[in-house]
Amino acid sequence: MKKIALMSIKTKHSQKIFSGTKIWEFRKAPPKLKEGESLEIVVYSSQVERAIVGKFSVERIVSSKLEELMQETGYGKDTDALEWFRSYYSNKELCSAIKISDPVLFETPITLAMIKKEIPSFCPPQNFVYIREDSDIGMLIQKHERSM
């Protein structure tokens, strides 16, 4: 079964995802997956772009102690990164990262203004929100993808 989540990601990080230079998305509270479920993340690029800009598949979600997570994601020897992650995950026993797979950048982003025109009550998620394909936002994304 496929789950879909709309996730807010800062523009500087979303651009790296779609350029292929960022392969892990770090989260204090990641989406939950049950055995046999797959997850697709639809990216709302916050801050600068303020638009849904693309999507990616989740290869896997790793949750572990910080040192183990840093080794798993390739940051174990990067002292600057370790310092930042220690601050980001302060007071967290388990730290999480999402392995990004098959990123697809939309030719034309779905801007916040476009979304609000169709769905006036829409608010970008603080972290992420699960969406159904038959929801207003799910159908808007599908319609946009078909028109590209």
Side-chain angles (χ1 to χ4, degrees):
M1 185 176 135
K2 180 173 92 169
K3 284 175 121 174
I4 303 169
L6 177 63
M7 183 175 285
S8 290
I9 300 176
K10 291 180 180 177
T11 298
K12 67 181 181 178
H13 299 299
S14 68
Q15 289 174 340
K16 289 178 182 178
I17 288 170
F18 295 108
S19 73
T21 59
K22 181 175 171 61
I23 59 171
W24 291 96
E25 174 62 21
F26 295 89
R27 292 284 158 153
K28 293 177 187 174
K32 304 271 188 252
L33 287 178
K34 294 178 186 166
E35 186 73 32
E37 287 182 325
S38 64
L39 179 63
E40 179 178 271
I41 302 286
V42 176
V43 177
Y44 178 83
S45 182
S46 62
Q47 293 181 325
V48 178
E49 292 176 303
R50 297 177 61 187
I52 295 174
V53 296
K55 63 185 182 176
F56 62 84
S57 297
V58 172
E59 186 174 308
R60 65 190 164 142
I61 299 173
V62 179
S63 292
S64 60
K65 293 185 184 242
L66 180 62
E67 288 70 25
E68 294 169 27
L69 186 70
M70 295 297 93
Q71 292 301 320
E72 177 78 20
T73 59
Y75 288 94
K77 295 188 180 358
D78 185 335
T79 54
D80 291 336
L82 276 170
E83 192 63 36
W84 186 90
F85 285 117
R86 279 192 183 99
S87 171
Y88 178 72
Y89 288 118
S90 68
N91 302 320
K92 286 280 189 189
E93 188 159 320
L94 287 180
C95 309
S96 300
I98 299 166
K99 180 76 184 264
I100 297 164
S101 176
D102 305 317
V104 175
L105 182 64
F106 294 162
E107 286 179 32
T108 308
I110 310 171
T111 65
L112 183 57
M114 291 165 67
I115 299 168
K116 288 272 197 189
K117 185 176 179 187
E118 298 278 329
I119 311 166
S121 63
F122 177 82
C123 291
Q126 288 292 315
N127 182 12
F128 71 90
V129 61
Y130 295 109
I131 58 174
R132 292 188 338 262
E133 292 185 54
D134 63 350
S135 67
D136 289 340
I137 192 67
M139 290 189 297
L140 178 65
I141 293 164
Q142 288 177 48
K143 183 173 114 181
H144 185 77
E145 286 184 279
R146 283 192 301 270
S147 71
M148 293 191 303

